[in-house]
Amino acid sequence: MIVGKNIHKSFGDLEVLKGVDLHVKPQEVVVLVGVSGSGKSTLLRCFNFLEMINSGEITIDGHTINPKKEDLAKIRAEVGMVFQHFNLFPHKSVLENVIEAPITVKKMKKEEAKKLGMNLLRKVGLEDKADVYPSKLSGGQKQRVAIARSLAMEPKVMLFDEPTSALDPELVGEVLQVMKQLAEEGMTMVVVTHEMKFAKEVADRIIMIDQGTIIESADPKNFFENPQNERTKQFIQLVE
Amino acid sequence: MPEIFVTVFDVFMRTYPGFLEASVITLELTAIGVVLGTVIGLIFALMKISGSKILRGIANVYITVIRGTPLIVQIMFLYFGIVEIYTMSNFWAGAIALGVHNGAYIAEIFRGAIQGIDPGQREASLSLGMNRKQTMQRIVFPQALRRSIPPLGNQFIITLKDSSLVYIIGVAEIFSLANREAAQSYQAFESFLVVALYYLVLVMIFTFLLRLYENKLDVDKA
């Protein structure tokens, strides 16, 4: 579904990604872990072209993308992204947040979009908040709205960039629950997270990134019980 | 009652028909200055944040020159400079000068507000498949506009008071009336006190309306 080949990305002199290869299969849930600064978030942002790679190749759904020539908006519409800080639109109500892109980008009729929006809000358990503004929501509710907003574009793959890192501990569960449900429905997902319990339960594969390269890639059982790389072992000890 | 109140009151009663008429001109000057300034400000703000070096350069020159020279010089320049080439009334010369002057300040207000919006807003919008133009129009600018309202209100009040400077090219707004009244009646103190009160009342009305509008926006957002 998403294939990254030999991805290099630098910010000035700092090389953040040093030739990353990643192949995410349809309906696969891949969890990216690593210490902060390892490049995992940058990799995620490269997949929907919020960051431009310096070299390498990104293929989405069989289509290799040339970011210089193509309409990036069209590509981004197929790749949903959920951010650490939610980034809901504060000047729009919850429902308006969800239906903004279908109306603006897909030119969907307002009535139709509203129906879709309400369905998605029901799915994340927030249909009663449709007319509320984001400032009135808790962090967990905000993130669930952000997920619904992303789903409204019917993306082929969803990227999650530390979706629970900005939440109070008691609000993490409700967001993970929604993500788990998505995974069960067969959504292709790439998730950067520190929630190891989630990784164990939901991931098909856990990938450890360290200093801009992938150093471990295994199913959860092998990742936690039989890590190959020394730094992965250290990391697991640290988080367990 | 002290003598001074009596004479001020006399001047007020004698001059209010003229002042009411001149107030209309002051308000017209302000309105044109504000509207023109907002349009110019928006254009130059967008130029200043654009990817084009040339557009940014033009915007920088405009803002630097306008902010770096006094309004009264700009009024005289426009009046004597432009009227040579293109005939226009002194009213319009003054109103355009106010607009051009304001445009530079308002451009900076808009630019600051646009650049002050959390980059995450832009990223979220782009990630949903909205293009740059849609992102600006639907996500960034509406939020920037809200944030611009308090400084814009301030700028509008400055425009109202600055409109007094066009008296120099003979536009019959309230300050020029006060000036003439002072010269004719030798009651300078009273005349300028009266005109000061007119400005004060106008600014207070303006401030009140702005506050109503700001409160309305807050209620919308809550």
Side-chain angles (χ1 to χ4, degrees):
Chain A
M1 181 60 75
I2 280 200
V3 183
K5 270 190 199 152
N6 199 22
I7 294 175
H8 287 263
K9 171 70 189 174
S10 303
F11 295 107
D13 289 337
L14 182 70
E15 196 175 21
V16 181
L17 297 174
K18 302 168 184 167
V20 173
D21 289 293
L22 178 65
H23 186 153
V24 182
K25 294 186 273 297
Q27 306 207 330
E28 192 180 18
V29 177
V30 172
V31 167
L32 300 178
V33 298
V35 295
S36 61
S38 58
K40 53 197 192 309
S41 282
T42 305
L43 179 62
L44 208 63
R45 291 163 59 83
C46 287
F47 281 140
N48 72 349
F49 302 90
L50 286 177
E51 302 292 351
M52 295 298 166
I53 56 176
N54 296 107
S55 68
E57 207 177 83
I58 292 174
T59 306
I60 293 172
D61 202 18
H63 173 72
T64 301
I65 286 135
N66 180 343
K68 289 210 171 69
K69 286 193 184 143
E70 289 180 69
D71 183 3
L72 290 179
K74 252 191 199 135
I75 297 154
R76 292 193 187 109
E78 299 188 336
V79 181
M81 178 121 181
V82 173
F83 299 86
Q84 182 178 356
H85 296 286
F86 332 124
N87 301 353
L88 291 181
F89 307 134
H91 60 305
K92 293 181 181 293
S93 73
V94 163
L95 183 61
E96 284 166 350
N97 263 274
V98 177
I99 66 178
E100 172 65 30
I103 290 175
T104 313
V105 179
K106 288 188 172 171
K107 312 293 173 206
M108 195 182 272
K109 291 251 177 356
K110 197 161 184 194
E111 284 314 305
E112 199 187 336
K114 274 186 177 170
K115 219 191 246 170
L116 167 77
M118 288 310 292
N119 279 335
L120 288 168
L121 287 177
R122 195 167 306 129
K123 188 182 170 113
V124 299
L126 290 170
E127 55 182 323
D128 56 324
K129 301 285 184 192
D131 298 322
V132 167
Y133 280 81
S135 58
K136 298 279 181 213
L137 300 179
S138 72
Q141 291 171 331
K142 282 181 189 167
Q143 196 60 299
R144 286 188 280 153
V145 173
I147 292 171
R149 178 176 70 175
S150 227
L151 291 174
M153 288 302 282
E154 297 174 318
K156 291 174 177 160
V157 50
M158 288 280 284
L159 310 175
F160 294 84
D161 189 4
E162 303 202 19
T164 57
S165 297
L167 298 177
D168 291 337
E170 75 272 19
L171 301 176
V172 170
E174 61 189 72
V175 173
L176 293 181
Q177 190 53 43
V178 169
M179 289 168 63
K180 198 173 166 184
Q181 186 193 335
L182 265 184
E184 281 161 4
E185 288 168 10
M187 176 61 80
T188 309
M189 293 163 61
V190 184
V191 185
V192 171
T193 186
H194 298 291
E195 295 294 330
M196 290 305 132
K197 192 163 164 284
F198 175 82
K200 267 182 199 166
E201 281 176 24
V202 182
D204 295 305
R205 194 146 53 103
I206 303 177
I207 287 175
M208 169 90 186
I209 297 187
D210 189 57
Q211 296 178 350
T213 53
I214 291 178
I215 59 167
E216 190 98 35
S217 170
D219 61 75
K221 193 166 157 38
N222 276 316
F223 185 90
F224 285 105
E225 289 171 14
N226 189 22
Q228 303 299 307
N229 191 293
E230 206 46 48
R231 293 193 63 107
T232 315
K233 287 176 193 166
Q234 286 172 7
F235 177 80
I236 290 168
Q237 273 181 349
L238 214 66
V239 295
E240 293 268 273
Chain B
M1 216 195 282
E3 185 67 11
I4 183 69
F5 283 112
V6 178
T7 53
V8 168
F9 188 71
D10 279 349
V11 171
F12 177 81
M13 289 311 287
R14 189 174 70 243
T15 55
Y16 82 84
F19 267 119
L20 289 183
E21 223 171 284
S23 294
V24 174
I25 295 176
T26 289
L27 289 175
E28 281 171 353
L29 283 167
T30 307
I32 295 166
V34 160
V35 171
L36 191 60
T38 304
V39 172
I40 293 174
L42 185 55
I43 293 168
F44 279 93
L46 292 175
M47 281 166 72
K48 227 186 147 171
I49 57 171
S50 80
S52 156
K53 258 192 178 155
I54 299 167
L55 291 181
R56 280 207 308 270
I58 295 170
N60 276 331
V61 169
Y62 169 75
I63 291 168
T64 306
V65 169
I66 296 297
R67 292 210 302 188
T69 54
L71 173 56
I72 199 159
V73 175
Q74 292 161 12
I75 292 168
M76 296 296 261
F77 181 82
L78 221 100
Y79 183 58
F80 290 106
I82 307 299
V83 169
E84 288 281 301
I85 309 162
Y86 178 80
T87 319
M88 82 174 103
S89 66
N90 49 7
F91 171 84
W92 275 101
I96 290 169
L98 279 172
V100 168
H101 180 79
N102 263 313
Y105 288 91
I106 293 175
E108 287 294 78
I109 290 173
F110 280 143
R111 182 192 60 82
I114 289 169
Q115 290 183 336
I117 299 299
D118 172 17
Q121 290 291 310
R122 192 172 160 273
E123 288 187 351
S125 175
L126 292 176
S127 80
L128 289 167
M130 303 222 261
N131 62 32
R132 287 182 52 180
K133 190 174 157 220
Q134 290 163 340
T135 298
M136 181 50 96
Q137 276 179 355
R138 311 233 359 128
I139 305 302
V140 177
F141 193 71
Q143 294 183 57
L145 192 60
R146 270 164 202 272
R147 283 201 200 177
S148 303
I149 285 164
L152 276 179
N154 205 25
Q155 190 61 33
F156 294 172
I157 287 167
I158 292 171
T159 310
L160 174 63
K161 295 190 292 179
D162 276 356
S163 71
S164 59
L165 286 170
V166 304
Y167 94 99
I168 199 89
I169 55 171
V171 180
E173 43 68 64
I174 56 178
F175 182 76
S176 82
L177 185 68
N179 209 27
R180 204 175 61 213
E181 184 62 31
Q184 284 171 357
S185 66
Y186 295 102
Q187 289 177 302
F189 177 80
E190 291 84 350
S191 301
F192 290 121
L193 186 64
V194 166
V195 78
L197 289 173
Y198 276 100
Y199 279 114
L200 188 60
V201 169
L202 288 174
V203 168
M204 282 166 70
I205 294 170
F206 236 66
T207 309
F208 176 73
L209 292 176
L210 279 165
R211 191 158 307 150
L212 276 188
Y213 187 60
E214 277 176 39
N215 286 343
K216 185 179 165 292
L217 281 183
D218 280 348
V219 171
D220 281 353
K221 206 180 146 183

